[in-house]
Amino acid sequence: MAKITPVYNYNNSANKRGESAIHIRVYYGSKRKLVGTGTHLRPEQWDAKRNKVKNHPAKESFNIRIKNELRRIEDNEQWYIARRRKYSVTDLIADRKLNQEYQSFSQFIKLDLAKRTDLSPGTIRNHQGFINRLAEFKSFIAFDDVNYSFLNNFEIFLRGYSFTKGGITKRLELTRVVKYLKTLNTYVKRAIKD
């Protein structure tokens, strides 16, 4: 795990107003990088014990800015750890946004299906049916919404799903429910890989 801490005046220099910069220092392995926060303070406005801004009119805003930058770097590290990928200090400080080209998991599924050329027409119809059931279950699905509880609730929804065909009300067959769950699993894996 990386050691991530705010640092005041790391190079012992100040601007014309006597203010020095606050950086986020990231140590990982034997490497170190500094990330600027855009915050400059006089020495009496920095609490070195708590690593927080004090005695400044905008101290809450500055502390939130510093905390958000710390959280962003920690989130990057958790992203790499969760996917069991190797990473460097440079990777941690990069402005990586999870699945930045997609607004939601729902959108990812639709666009991913449209891009795929390896599927037969029958498989595409099955995936379209899956997308329709998923949209009926929940119209907007954020990436963070996909967890065990979501999967469990979607399975319950599918098992209770009924439709009318030829004037007869039917339920989804268990094989169809399993197929939809496997399709969901496929898209979750593809989203993680992306």
Side-chain angles (χ1 to χ4, degrees), residues 109-110 113 121-137 154 157-158 161 163 172 176-177 179-181 183-184 187:
I109 292 172
K110 290 174 188 170
L113 180 60
T123 304
I124 290 173
R125 274 194 307 277
N126 286 336
H127 284 232
Q128 284 293 345
F130 158 75
I131 290 170
N132 294 339
R133 296 303 82 72
L134 195 60
E136 289 175 39
F137 172 66
F154 184 55
F157 168 79
L158 290 174
Y161 183 81
F163 60 97
L172 284 179
R176 179 64 61 185
V177 171
K179 189 176 281 191
Y180 283 163
L181 291 174
T183 304
L184 177 60
Y187 282 109

Side-chain angles (χ1 to χ4, degrees), residues 2-7 10 23-28 30-36 73 88-94:
K3 185 176 180 186
I4 307 163
T5 53
V7 177
Y10 82 97
H23 290 81
I24 305 294
R25 182 171 47 206
V26 182
Y27 276 116
Y28 181 69
S30 60
K31 305 285 183 185
R32 177 188 81 176
K33 291 269 187 183
L34 292 161
V35 180
I73 295 167
S88 67
V89 173
T90 306
D91 294 327
L92 294 180
I93 64 172

Side-chain angles (χ1 to χ4, degrees), residues 136-183:
E136 289 175 39
F137 172 66
K138 191 171 181 183
S139 58
F140 180 85
I141 304 165
F143 286 98
D144 292 342
D145 292 343
V146 183
N147 55 28
Y148 177 77
S149 176
F150 171 82
L151 298 174
N152 196 29
N153 290 336
F154 184 55
E155 181 182 357
I156 292 167
F157 168 79
L158 290 174
R159 287 177 182 261
Y161 183 81
S162 59
F163 60 97
T164 306
K165 187 173 183 179
I168 301 170
T169 302
K170 296 182 177 184
R171 288 187 172 231
L172 284 179
E173 294 176 11
L174 185 57
T175 55
R176 179 64 61 185
V177 171
V178 171
K179 189 176 281 191
Y180 283 163
L181 291 174
K182 284 183 178 179
T183 304

Side-chain angles (χ1 to χ4, degrees), residues 68-110:
N68 286 342
E69 190 62 27
L70 287 167
R71 188 174 297 130
R72 183 187 68 79
I73 295 167
E74 289 167 353
D75 287 348
N76 281 351
E77 184 175 33
Q78 290 304 316
W79 188 88
Y80 284 102
I81 290 170
R83 285 153 185 80
R84 295 186 177 133
R85 292 186 182 175
K86 291 182 180 179
Y87 58 92
S88 67
V89 173
T90 306
D91 294 327
L92 294 180
I93 64 172
D95 195 15
R96 184 199 58 74
K97 290 186 171 68
L98 179 61
N99 295 306
Q100 58 191 4
E101 62 184 288
Y102 306 107
Q103 300 298 315
S104 68
F105 183 64
S106 317
Q107 182 189 29
F108 169 80
I109 292 172
K110 290 174 188 170

